[in-house]
Amino acid sequence: MEADERHVLAPFAQKSGESRGRQFPQELHEYRTEFQRDRARIIHARAFRRLEYKTQVFLNGTGDHLRTRLTHTIEVASIGRTIARALSLNEDLAEAIALAHDLGHAPFGHSGEEMLAECMQGHGGFEHNDQSLRVVDLLEAPYPDFPGLNLTYEVREGLQKHRKVAQVSNLQSGTSKLETCTTLEAQIANLADEITYYSHDLDDAVDFEILRSEQLEETKVWRQSHANVAARAPEVREPELHKLIINDIIDVQVRDVVASSAKAIEEAGVQTADDVRRQERPLIRYSEELATANRELRRFLYKNVYYHPRVAEVNRQACETLREVFEAYVLDPALLGTAATKRIESEGMYRTICDYIAGMTDRYLLEENARLRSGVME
């Protein structure tokens, strides 16, 4: 399979056989590449399974068909593979990064992340990309000989997608100071994440009945896809109509990224994955026209979805619960339990509490708050 990659993939793709390896050396597998092994390790991780009960935008449990952090992750991986395949890049690497990119997310979505960051002010802060790396490097512990999942350098590099590689101090040696970008596969995971939440947050908001048709027409992205669908199927009406528009939005975004990225790669003249790393800006990108439209869409989503009273108020109440649990643990760290308290000596009390809460599902945090309140009342 490594030989096939050298023949089939583009010269600038990250080949499995050219991986910079793992922090703890392990024998190669006879019929799986290194990135395929990483993908399996992520899927089998306990943190991955917990994503099923973590909020994406709408509080987990408020609707059977609304996205969770897990369904979001699966959609990112699917779109990532499509873009990687179209550009002759390493699908396994793009998928592995996509599957792991949200392992560090706190309960209650981005609101929960903001609350946990507030609780950690003065104690090292909290950022979900950094936390994803902590999950795979330390907090998952399926192996007796080393901590974490022992993923390849390239997957771990991709989990720091919002950082310039030269600024990442906790990646193992081998990073050149001249490297300011990640692999194309990591860049794909980053944009696939955006494409996914642009489209499914619109979809869920329509299903949740907080967006009206006339509002949606305010955004160029929606207007264009609405026109595309109307031209192909003028007889279609709701509820099928908005589903077809969402599908078209995804298709338009993916086609644009593939075409724009192919052009950028050709113009950059990169010949190896390391050439990509030395670029001043990512080569996986939207066209300028779509980038502008997406910025407009992002502003629209913040104004009309993320800060909508039906979303924001529920999330605010849930996040107050997170704060209460955090403060209870600070007052009595023994409440964390034996396994977690063992890490306080090496990680510090605040970081240990942060790790513990970040790993919780929405429902477990609510149950833990009820348990702690009950203890106080008793």
Side-chain angles (χ1 to χ4, degrees):
M1 282 187 284
E2 288 182 357
D4 287 345
E5 283 186 357
R6 289 192 292 272
H7 288 296
V8 173
L9 298 184
F12 39 78
Q14 176 62 61
K15 318 295 192 301
S16 303
E18 297 171 2
S19 170
R20 295 181 182 181
R22 305 178 186 276
Q23 184 175 359
F24 303 97
Q26 292 180 279
E27 289 186 9
L28 300 179
H29 200 278
E30 62 180 314
Y31 56 82
R32 287 189 299 169
T33 68
E34 292 300 275
F35 301 146
Q36 289 171 350
R37 295 174 78 186
D38 283 353
R39 178 181 60 200
R41 292 180 186 195
I42 293 161
I43 289 173
H44 289 284
R46 292 164 66 91
F48 185 79
R49 296 197 291 277
R50 290 197 299 270
L51 295 176
E52 180 178 3
Y53 298 104
K54 288 195 174 190
T55 288
Q56 177 63 25
V57 173
F58 299 91
L59 195 66
N60 185 246
T62 54
D64 289 346
H65 298 122
L66 300 174
R67 269 73 170 190
T68 65
R69 191 64 62 180
L70 179 62
T71 55
H72 162 74
T73 294
I74 293 170
E75 291 179 15
V76 174
S78 175
I79 289 175
R81 287 195 74 108
T82 297
I83 296 172
R85 184 181 303 120
L87 294 171
S88 298
L89 299 173
N90 197 316
E91 295 178 44
D92 294 327
L93 176 57
E95 183 180 24
I97 296 168
L99 290 171
H101 85 281
D102 269 354
L103 292 180
H105 246 299
F108 309 137
H110 289 285
S111 298
E113 178 179 12
E114 291 171 4
M115 178 58 74
L116 199 49
E118 184 178 321
C119 291
M120 286 296 290
Q121 279 185 352
H123 305 285
F126 176 80
E127 200 279 332
H128 81 270
N129 291 305
D130 291 337
Q131 191 67 16
S132 293
L133 200 60
R134 283 183 65 78
V135 168
V136 301
D137 280 354
L138 176 68
L139 301 177
E140 285 290 320
Y143 303 107
D145 299 330
F146 47 77
L149 301 180
N150 198 29
L151 301 180
T152 57
Y153 171 91
E154 290 75 20
V155 172
R156 296 175 63 246
E157 172 192 17
L159 294 182
Q160 290 283 15
K161 61 185 182 180
H162 297 311
R163 300 286 188 276
K164 289 189 175 182
V165 177
Q167 298 172 342
V168 179
S169 60
N170 55 353
L171 288 173
Q172 66 215 52
S173 61
T175 301
S176 165
K177 290 183 179 180
L178 297 176
E179 295 176 356
T180 56
C181 279
T182 53
T183 60
L184 293 172
E185 290 81 1
Q187 295 174 37
I188 284 173
N190 191 17
L191 280 202
D193 185 24
E194 287 188 14
I195 292 170
T196 303
Y197 68 68
Y198 286 149
S199 57
H200 69 43
D201 290 354
L202 282 172
D203 191 19
D204 284 354
V206 173
D207 281 345
F208 205 58
E209 298 181 343
I210 63 173
L211 283 181
R212 304 183 309 276
S213 333
E214 54 269 27
Q215 285 178 287
L216 292 163
E217 293 296 327
E218 295 175 15
T219 69
K220 183 176 180 180
V221 168
W222 184 274
R223 288 198 305 273
Q224 177 184 344
S225 287
H226 190 179
N228 292 345
V229 172
R232 293 195 300 266
E235 74 286 353
V236 175
R237 297 291 181 269
E238 290 292 358
E240 292 81 9
L241 177 60
H242 94 260
K243 299 296 183 185
L244 291 178
I245 294 173
I246 295 297
N247 290 346
D248 191 79
I249 288 173
I250 295 172
D251 189 58
V252 168
Q253 299 264 337
V254 170
R255 287 176 182 274
D256 181 275
V257 167
V258 170
S260 301
S261 302
K263 180 180 179 183
I265 291 167
E266 182 180 6
E267 290 176 349
V270 291
Q271 293 300 313
T272 68
D274 283 341
D275 286 346
V276 172
R277 289 183 171 98
R278 288 189 284 267
Q279 296 299 301
E280 293 183 357
R281 58 177 292 218
L283 297 175
I284 302 299
R285 59 182 70 159
Y286 305 108
S287 65
E288 287 298 324
E289 181 181 1
L290 186 58
T292 300
N294 280 344
R295 286 192 291 271
E296 176 198 50
L297 176 59
R298 185 179 179 87
R299 291 191 295 270
F300 175 87
L301 287 169
Y302 269 94
K303 176 183 176 182
N304 297 287
V305 178
Y306 307 143
Y307 292 143
H308 189 282
R310 287 182 62 196
V311 176
E313 179 56 26
V314 171
N315 286 344
R316 186 195 65 77
Q317 293 174 7
C319 288
E320 284 303 317
T321 301
L322 189 154
R323 186 202 295 275
E324 288 181 14
V325 171
F326 191 100
E327 291 174 348
Y329 289 153
V330 170
L331 290 174
D332 186 1
L335 293 170
L336 291 168
T338 306
T341 52
K342 286 180 180 178
R343 292 209 322 276
I344 291 178
E345 184 175 352
S346 60
E347 302 295 320
M349 181 183 70
Y350 278 88
R351 184 56 60 189
T352 299
I353 293 172
C354 181
D355 286 340
Y356 193 64
I357 291 180
M360 290 181 176
T361 61
D362 295 11
R363 67 179 184 180
Y364 182 77
L365 195 150
L366 293 171
E367 289 170 359
E368 179 70 349
N369 185 60
R371 182 182 73 84
L372 294 173
R373 280 173 168 261
S374 175
V376 169
M377 291 172 64
E378 292 172 1

